[in-house]
Amino acid sequence: MDLILIGLLGGLITGISPCILPVLPVIFLTGGAQSARFVGDGDVIPARRSRPYLVIAGLVLSFTLVTLVGSLILGLLGLPQDVLRWAGIVVLIIIGIGLLIPRFEQLLEKPFQWLPRKEVKNRGSGFGVGLALGAVFVPCAGPVLAAIIVAGSTGQIGPGTVLLTVSFSIGVAIPLLAFALAGRGVVNRIRAFRTRERGLRIAAGIAMLALAVGLVFNVPQALQRLLPDYTAPLQQELTENEAAEEALGLGGLVTDENRQLDNCTNGAEELESCGTAPSIRGIEQWLNTPDGEAIDLEDLRGQVVLIDFWAYSCINCQRSIPHVVGWDETYRDAGLQVIGIHSPEYAFEKDAGNVAAGIRDFGIEYPVALDNSLSTWTNYRNRYWPAHYLIDAEGTVRHISFGEGNYEATEKMIRELLEDADPDVRLPAESGVADETPELGSTTPETFLGSSKDVNYGGEDSYRAGRATFEFPREQDADTFALEGDWEIATQYATPTAEGAEVRLSYRASEVRMVLAGSGEITVHTPDGESRTIEVDGTPRSYQLLKGAAGSGDLTVEIPPGVQAYSFTFG
């Protein structure tokens, strides 16, 4: 019920937000424009009354498929989200030209002339128009839609995700249908419109071509930035509550295989019994195993197993991995089998070469599974980087720990399970890796620059996918970032489109790192007035910007075109 309510309300708010303004003329005209024919003395035989509904039905269908299935497919193929947006723009152009030039429309219909005529021509039907609009409307994203897109691009599609997407689409459709019906009402009531079918077709065609051209040059985004986002407080109120955060987290689907994981308490101090460990599934490739052979948990009965969910660019994982490596080195000969499940947070983390380089950098010798589709992540109902699942020699999950910390208790339970599995085992001294977990709330949260995961943008301009010019705000809140100059905001990163681009970060931490990719030289200006340059070259990885005593301040980074900025992480 929470998912349906959140989806409907999120869709309704998005459907009345400034980001729908660019598509309104097309919806108004194509929802009301009558593709009719004249008979006798000029009377009009109008198209079907269902036209506005078909326009919105097409929009909802493509909106849902592009958002959910499209994000999933593009994520699996490693393609940018803009592919489907460009496809929608092309369809808009084709339909617009067809409305302006009847012969071109007839040419488009030729391959389908074997079908019944009423099914081919768009007389009275706006379904094709709606399909095109849905593809270009997807970037009109609020927090709910952003959560759905991330779920799709990371493969976390289950019944909950589908339910949220469908309810969101229905919520969006309600105000848009009202505009489409209004367009039909105007046409039906005003005789001047009813007798000028050709003029309406031309107007609709021009509107579609204008929208397509505007989308190519990101004109809608520029117009939206000139308008106040009057729905922002509603979006914030909708998503910043416990029920919404739990629903939008979209944890893995509950099945008979993983249902008993609920019996475990996060970070418990004592062993618990949480059912048989779910299987490791959907792995694209294994690293650090003989000939890349897969590992089956069934074959590890008799051994204690520690499963570590991680991602190589995640700062929390980077602080956690020394503990996991230390446990592997200390207890491997005593019967502990560590398995790393590399679950990518970014598209670049799906590359096996990038992961292999991270494995070498961290000194990992235990097997690592590339869970690029997040199948095992979902099967374990996981939602955190890092996450540790401790499994006893009988194959039962006995301990779960999400996030950093709790290392001392986890190691104590590893030792306890090893002694249970083999009472004669002689355990070495504890691993002795120092716990460097920052105190809760003492550092700025991980800060993402991509449009799909931004949560702490501190600028005065709207932060949406596309090209835009930004200015630093006069005053910037703590734990936020802001941009200056010309930027292109993509789903997972931001990159300058001209020289002079900067990002300013207000932070609390003893260490600041930035995940960067591409090629170029960045300049870091620290709060104490010092400057240093860092050479960026190659695939995405974490670069240290600042390290010292814990403190706070404003850090400014000059970034040249050709460098992609993914996130800030803190220690």
Side-chain angles (χ1 to χ4, degrees), residues 118-129:
K118 64 180 181 179
E119 297 296 333
V120 174
K121 300 188 74 65
N122 195 33
R123 301 193 184 281
S125 170
F127 193 69
V129 175

Side-chain angles (χ1 to χ4, degrees), residues 77-374:
L77 297 177
L79 298 175
Q81 296 284 338
D82 276 354
V83 168
L84 291 176
R85 173 176 171 271
W86 281 102
I89 291 174
V90 170
V91 174
L92 277 177
I93 293 173
I94 291 174
I95 294 177
I97 295 174
L99 288 170
L100 294 175
I101 307 174
R103 288 187 179 181
F104 180 74
E105 184 180 37
Q106 294 169 6
L107 182 65
L108 293 175
E109 293 176 355
K110 270 191 175 182
F112 307 98
Q113 286 181 347
W114 58 276
L115 294 172
R117 192 70 170 171
K118 64 180 181 179
E119 297 296 333
V120 174
K121 300 188 74 65
N122 195 33
R123 301 193 184 281
S125 170
F127 193 69
V129 175
L131 289 174
L133 288 177
V136 300
F137 185 60
V138 167
C140 185
V144 178
L145 181 54
I148 297 170
I149 291 174
V150 172
S153 63
T154 55
Q156 300 182 72
I157 293 183
T161 318
V162 175
L163 184 63
L164 182 67
T165 306
V166 172
S167 60
F168 183 91
S169 300
I170 293 172
V172 170
I174 293 173
L176 295 185
L177 179 60
F179 288 114
L181 290 173
R184 179 183 178 87
V186 170
V187 170
N188 285 345
R189 287 178 173 79
I190 302 178
R191 182 174 179 79
F193 283 119
R194 296 181 63 193
T195 57
R196 287 176 172 79
E197 182 261 350
R198 178 60 184 156
L200 287 174
R201 286 173 59 87
I202 291 175
I206 292 174
M208 273 188 264
L209 290 176
L211 175 59
V213 172
L215 289 167
V216 170
F217 293 101
N218 292 301
V219 173
Q221 286 89 342
L223 293 176
Q224 290 159 27
R225 286 194 295 273
L226 298 177
L227 297 171
D229 188 356
Y230 45 80
T231 62
L234 296 174
Q235 294 276 17
Q236 185 174 3
E237 184 175 346
L238 173 67
T239 56
E240 290 187 359
N241 60 76
E242 185 175 347
E245 289 176 358
E246 181 177 354
L248 298 181
L250 298 173
L253 177 66
V254 178
T255 67
D256 290 339
E257 188 176 4
N258 60 31
R259 193 179 309 277
Q260 294 187 58
L261 291 177
D262 284 335
N263 297 337
C264 269
T265 306
N266 174 32
E269 297 292 326
E270 302 292 337
L271 289 169
E272 299 171 316
S273 183
C274 314
T276 301
S279 59
I280 297 174
R281 60 172 61 171
I283 300 305
E284 183 171 302
Q285 184 178 344
W286 284 87
L287 303 176
N288 286 357
T289 63
D291 300 321
E293 292 181 2
I295 293 178
D296 190 334
L297 289 180
E298 291 285 344
D299 298 332
L300 298 178
R301 294 295 169 84
Q303 291 182 264
V304 176
V305 178
L306 176 71
I307 291 182
D308 174 34
F309 286 92
W310 69 295
Y312 79 84
S313 74
C314 164
I315 185 64
N316 309 89
C317 300
Q318 292 171 13
R319 288 192 290 259
S320 173
I321 285 173
H323 294 271
V324 181
V325 170
W327 295 333
D328 173 57
E329 294 174 347
T330 303
Y331 302 112
R332 184 189 311 157
D333 294 338
L336 176 67
Q337 175 64 69
V338 178
I339 300 175
I341 307 295
H342 188 273
S343 304
E345 190 173 8
Y346 292 112
F348 64 76
E349 291 177 320
K350 296 181 179 182
D351 183 89
N354 293 346
V355 180
I359 288 173
R360 290 192 299 271
D361 291 342
F362 294 122
I364 295 173
E365 297 180 356
Y366 50 81
V368 173
L370 303 190
D371 186 27
N372 284 351
S373 63
L374 296 186

